[in-house]
């Protein structure tokens, strides 16, 4: 797995370009798709971990951050 979220996103973007090119043989297409699914799962896990840790100061009290 990539070391960081940013590295994962770069790799995912490169995979998407390769997948959309239509030039990959079937076996490589399947492998690229599987790798993309793994990276996507990694990214979602990182985002969920960050969201659970973000706190916002509101009237002197910490509360869990919720997106607007």
């Amino acid at each position: 797995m990539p070391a960081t979220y940013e590295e994962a996103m770069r790799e995912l973007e490169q995979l998407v370009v390769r997948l959309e090119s239509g030039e990959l043989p079937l076996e490589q297409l399947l492998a690229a798709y599987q790798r993309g699914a793994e990276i996507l799962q990694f990214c979602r896990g990182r985002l969920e971990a960050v969201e659970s840790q973000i706190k916002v100061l509101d009237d002197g009290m910490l509360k869990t951050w919720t997106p607007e």
Side-chain angles (χ1 to χ4, degrees), residues 6-8 15 21 27 32-33 35 37 51 55 58 63 66:
E6 291 76 13
E7 287 177 17
L15 281 170
S21 74
E27 289 179 15
Y33 183 84
R35 177 66 178 162
E51 285 178 356
K55 302 291 180 182
D58 184 23
K63 67 177 188 177
T66 54

Side-chain angles (χ1 to χ4, degrees), residues 4-23:
T4 66
Y5 177 83
E6 291 76 13
E7 287 177 17
M9 289 302 297
R10 279 191 294 276
E11 185 178 345
L12 190 57
E13 289 169 359
Q14 292 170 354
L15 281 170
V16 168
V17 169
R18 290 179 62 208
L19 288 167
E20 290 179 343
S21 74
E23 298 177 7

